[in-house]
Amino acid sequence: MGETSTEFTQRERIPVGIFNSAELACREVADAIEALIRERDGADMPTVLGLATGSTPVGLYRELIRRHREGGLSFARVITFNLDEYYGLGGDHPESYRRFMQEQLFDHVDIEPENTHVPDGLVEREEVYGACRAYEEAIREAGGIDFQILGIGRTGHIGFNEPGSGPESRTRLVTLDSLTRRDAARDFLGEENVPRHAITMGIGTILEAKRIYLLAWGEAKAGVISQSVEEAPTDTVPAGFLQVHQDCRILVDHAAAAQLTRVRHPWLVGPVDWTPEMIRRAVLWLARKTGKALLKLVDEDYAENGMADLLTEQGSAYELNINIFNTPQHTITGWPGGKPEADDSHRPERADPFPKRVLVLSPEPMDDVYCMGGTLHRLANQGHELTVACQTSGSLAVPDPDLRRAVELLDEVARGQGGEKEAAFAASLRRQLVAKGQFGEDSRDLRYLKALIRRGEARASGRLLEVDADRLRFLDLPFYEQGRYRRFQPGKADVSIMAELLREIRPHQVFATGATHDPLSVHAICFLVLCQALDLCREEAWTRDCRIWLYRGPGAEWEAHEIDMAVPLSPDEFENKIQGIYQHQTQRSQSPSLDKGSSSNTWNLASLINRSAADTYDQLGLAEYEAIECFRKWVPDSWRD
Ligand code: F6R
């Protein structure tokens, strides 16, 4: 996809290509890299690549490996320089960037080991400066970087150039931003294990590359992409300094493009096709922007905010306001499973059948209560046949101190009451815990124990929400059991477990997360597995009477125009939900997707989100509630006729 500049891209200071998927974008980057390598090989010259780690380039590296294996693309004359490395980690540490590069690319292509460069994370403190200068010198000696791949962090960092890094910065030791450390916490199995420092190429170093491609996938990057592209560069969003580069491109998927003006508010930059969906989006945005209730918007509000043509098309603000007002009004329901024997013509969910067979999917234990605890309570309480399935065991998210407590408890029980076998098992667990150390991987037994801890929490939480323990299912999808964060590889076994459950329940309603912002996240993979399972079932009769409702996922909520069902919670129901979340004791300090600058922990973030959804409805001039949980209706492509 080209980056032709039009009136819609007038605010963009770096060319941005928006792709239908990360995969397609990666293919385009691989095309460019392949062309360069072949051209250089032809001229008997080396190709110097600047490489990044993290989730973003994984697809690109897989594509390059494929081309090496199937298309004879050779890396024999390629020289690489990686952007960064955690300070304090050796190359064999599972989270070191050296190890990442070996596993994701170098071990699978014919690159000469001595041609691969990753900053040394173990260099003595007093030698760091010299090592950084030597790294820069090596880049220069190689002829400079021909082609630099970048990802972007939610802080706006490129490499590990956190906010505060200037355009002149060079390769150096830096302190990691707290948000960056939090984002890495899952990979390191706990924030306390994430190194505090890293060695990174500077922005000045990066800007010397001849050509730069920055890649970003998923909605978590959308905000920082639009800031980098549309705002004047400042130290607070270091990626913005790429604006001065003469040959820089940004490649994003639709989710990462979502905050660009041309996507988010296209009516501000050019003429738009006023479809009902676009009108809904624009009018709800206008109400939020002006701080006015929908029914109080006047012609001037429309005219002053790029929507004069809509007014002309539709007559007057008065008519537009009324039409739009009805839409969010009709999303509100206290009957998420449908209200039996009621007129359902203006309700989000149908009245019949009643009771419904309802399947609620929770990628990890707690996502269900976190994102839809109030709704879950209502579904149970209103008599539906509810099944809550935790797709993965969630064992990876149990911090070690909680594991240690469980091991000690088992040990004490075994000593007090148990026989020899129990005592031996407890002692073996203790040994395994010691052997694992701070950074090691959990043994199978330890991981199993962690999974059991999370099951216990899920049951305790379910009890508060009137979801009996026998309504809970623990699928323990194999991709999770066999994987590690960012290294998950979902497969057929996962899909068939999911499909089997769907076939057994034949649900009238499925509630699942639509959080696909990080394609390698547990949430996105669980959604992918669900999609594939739904595809397998597409011919089955139950699918014709099944509705799928997506909750947005932890840490965020749907935007007003995306909401198809809004379930209000009274203060008591809301408090009950919060108590349900508290039962997940091991998750008290896990914070999967907090926004930049937020100091909240996972627990109070849930209440902020539900309260702010209620504020949105209130501000639009609808009813005023304590809290609201929101859902979006979704139909898999393969189910559409
Ligand atoms: C990695 C690097 C970082 C990442 C960024 C995005 O070498 O330099 O800037 O590119 O943190 O990480 P992911 O891709 O994991 O979202």
Side-chain angles (χ1 to χ4, degrees), residues 51-57 82-84 97 150-154 157-161 180 187 200 215 221 486 518:
L51 299 178
T53 58
S55 315
T56 310
N82 265 82
L83 285 164
D84 41 19
Y97 284 169
L150 296 175
I152 183 169
R154 288 197 297 147
H157 72 216
I158 46 176
F160 271 138
N161 293 286
T180 300
D187 300 336
T200 180
L215 320 179
K221 304 289 173 69
R486 292 180 203 248
D518 174 358

Side-chain angles (χ1 to χ4, degrees), residues 186-230:
R186 294 207 140 194
D187 300 336
F188 281 87
L189 310 176
E191 195 174 322
E192 65 282 6
N193 299 330
V194 182
R196 293 183 179 277
H197 303 282
I199 294 180
T200 180
M201 280 188 200
I203 297 181
T205 326
I206 294 170
L207 288 174
E208 280 167 12
K210 290 167 198 125
R211 203 184 331 166
I212 301 179
Y213 274 42
L214 183 146
L215 320 179
W217 327 129
E219 62 196 322
K221 304 289 173 69
V224 87
I225 284 292
S226 81
Q227 284 177 301
S228 312
V229 170
E230 296 191 355

